[in-house]
Amino acid sequence: MRSLRVLIADDHQALLEGVRSIIEKQPGWEVCGTATTGREAVEMARKLKPDIVVLDLRMPELNGLDATRQIKRFLEGTEVLIFTAHDDEQLIHEAFAAGARSFIFKSEPLTRLVDAIESLSRHKPFFSEKVSEVLFSNIGGPVREHARSEHSTSQLTPREREIVQMLAEGKSNKEVATILGISVRTAEAHRASLMHKLGIDSIAGLVRYAIRNGIIGA
């Protein structure tokens, strides 16, 4: 029987190990790798080509939504499962739009995670009853506006969203340059261009923008 290869990405080590233990107890399943940042998750996915990636939404350097977009761009056959503590309706919609096919809350029994992985192994989408409740609780009510702010992240390129996240996390131009493999001058140019594009004149303003648009957590 062909084994099911799973990559886990979460910046909470204890939870990561707990999920790993649950997955490895399932016959024929193996954890082929673990990552603690979104960027590391993308790099490991490209290298290991897992069948399924279990991703947290809030991770350093690259959030789960942007990591999902990148993984699906390079690996169309790899399924992505979002496993998170955040139950925001907009984030659920954005996760599915990014290419994820399952969304599970960390507050749910881990059997739900096993059910989701089993479903994704057959390339069938899965979301739990709790996710369904969040998604469909607004039916019959007023139509909700899904844009997070007047400056939607849709106007940003994937590279620009990455830089916004790193700057909002407090990384310097030099640190951004090192992570992205570019010169400090190029990183500075990206930062200036972003500030102008978004009409923001301070890092504090950039942090507020990143929080409003779900790029980083509050």
Side-chain angles (χ1 to χ4, degrees), residues 19-39:
V19 172
R20 178 184 200 136
S21 176
I22 290 293
I23 290 174
E24 291 184 336
K25 287 179 180 176
Q26 311 308 311
W29 294 10
E30 68 167 303
V31 174
C32 62
T34 60
T36 56
T37 73
R39 182 169 303 283

Side-chain angles (χ1 to χ4, degrees), residues 6-10 12-26 29-36 44 48 54 83 110 113-114 117:
V6 182
L7 172 66
I8 310 169
D10 199 298
H12 294 91
Q13 191 66 37
L15 183 59
L16 189 154
E17 292 302 328
V19 172
R20 178 184 200 136
S21 176
I22 290 293
I23 290 174
E24 291 184 336
K25 287 179 180 176
Q26 311 308 311
W29 294 10
E30 68 167 303
V31 174
C32 62
T34 60
T36 56
M44 293 188 72
L48 300 173
V54 178
F83 186 52
L110 284 175
L113 183 64
V114 173
I117 294 174

Side-chain angles (χ1 to χ4, degrees), residues 92-202:
I92 298 174
H93 284 287
E94 289 182 5
F96 285 115
R101 299 251 285 171
S102 183
F103 195 108
I104 303 295
F105 297 136
K106 290 179 178 178
S107 59
E108 299 183 74
L110 284 175
T111 53
R112 290 290 179 271
L113 183 64
V114 173
D115 292 341
I117 294 174
E118 170 61 32
S119 183
L120 291 180
S121 73
R122 293 177 280 111
H123 298 286
K124 294 183 180 295
F126 181 96
F127 47 87
S128 67
E129 295 88 347
K130 284 191 176 182
V131 172
S132 299
E133 288 173 6
V134 174
L135 284 175
F136 301 117
S137 62
N138 196 50
I139 290 178
V143 176
R144 294 184 60 174
E145 175 57 58
H146 289 301
R148 287 185 175 272
S149 73
E150 66 276 14
H151 295 298
S152 170
T153 58
S154 62
Q155 67 179 305
L156 300 181
T157 66
R159 172 54 60 88
E160 286 173 335
R161 285 198 301 270
E162 291 179 51
I163 294 172
V164 166
Q165 177 168 348
M166 286 188 280
L167 291 174
E169 288 173 345
K171 290 182 172 58
S172 66
N173 289 329
K174 183 177 181 180
E175 289 172 318
V176 170
T178 299
I179 291 169
L180 296 180
I182 59 179
S183 70
V184 174
R185 181 170 294 182
T186 300
E188 291 171 346
H190 277 305
R191 172 174 169 166
S193 175
L194 274 169
M195 295 292 208
H196 176 74
K197 190 174 191 177
L198 298 174
I200 294 171
D201 59 7
S202 68

